[in-house]
Amino acid sequence: MLADLGEARAVMLDTVYRDFGTGYVPRWHADIVDPESFYVVPPRHTLLVAVDERDGAVAATAALDARGPAHPPNPRWLAERYPSGETAQLRRVYVRPEHRRRGLARRLVDSLLDFARADGGYRAVYLHTYPHSPGAMGLWQTLGKVVCDEREEVPDGGSGVVHFEIPLSK
């Protein structure tokens, strides 16, 4: 896994530039630059990768940590509903464009949910996504429920993200 961190970082950076158009923003993306400290070292966190069997390149990433959504930028009630330590937050579920529509994200997320269940200390699984992120809304809608669509529920559309909860039990 440690050998794949550089390529995992590249998948994540490519995604924030290509799909989100934000580029690297230190306050939002520090975990991308240092995935080992954020996802490998803490025992209740994890980073998974899918590797292309043909060339050994990282095709997809998915991470989980125990940090709940922060306020700001998220609504205060959301941060209170999903507190750090009790919330498994899914992050960085990214698939390179040439590997999309093959079920990689779904399989990685299923493994993250198994990891959260095995931990035993999480009471909720939370994530947020940008509606324009390729394939994201369709995936998350099959796995969980929308708890806040900022475009409709936050003044001026908030940051435009959609927040989901995924059931922890099978």
Side-chain angles (χ1 to χ4, degrees), residues 2 6 11 18 23 25 41 44 76-77 87 90 124 126 146 169:
L2 291 176
V11 169
R18 179 192 55 247
V25 179
V41 173
R44 297 185 69 213
R76 180 182 308 279
W77 69 266
T87 302
L90 304 185
Y126 161 87
V146 173
S169 59

Side-chain angles (χ1 to χ4, degrees), residues 20-133:
F20 301 155
T22 62
Y24 173 74
V25 179
R27 73 178 183 276
W28 298 338
H29 305 129
D31 61 304
I32 292 175
V33 173
D34 186 12
E36 185 172 4
S37 293
F38 279 85
Y39 301 118
V40 178
V41 173
R44 297 185 69 213
H45 299 188
T46 193
L47 172 65
L48 305 177
V49 297
V51 176
D52 187 328
E53 294 173 346
R54 296 170 295 178
D55 62 9
V58 173
T61 63
L64 176 148
D65 67 32
R67 295 178 294 145
H71 169 76
N74 299 295
R76 180 182 308 279
W77 69 266
L78 198 70
E80 291 170 354
R81 179 173 174 171
Y82 301 105
S84 292
E86 298 177 14
T87 302
Q89 184 166 178
L90 304 185
R91 298 179 183 268
R92 311 298 176 214
V93 181
Y94 301 153
V95 180
R96 287 208 179 271
E98 64 272 21
H99 295 284
R100 291 181 181 155
R101 311 296 307 161
R102 297 181 187 171
L104 292 177
R106 179 71 174 244
R107 288 192 303 254
L108 289 172
V109 169
D110 286 346
S111 293
L112 291 178
L113 294 173
D114 288 344
F115 179 89
R117 287 182 202 104
D119 176 85
Y122 293 117
R123 67 166 186 77
V125 178
Y126 161 87
L127 68 103
H128 70 268
T129 192
Y130 291 99
H132 63 273
S133 181

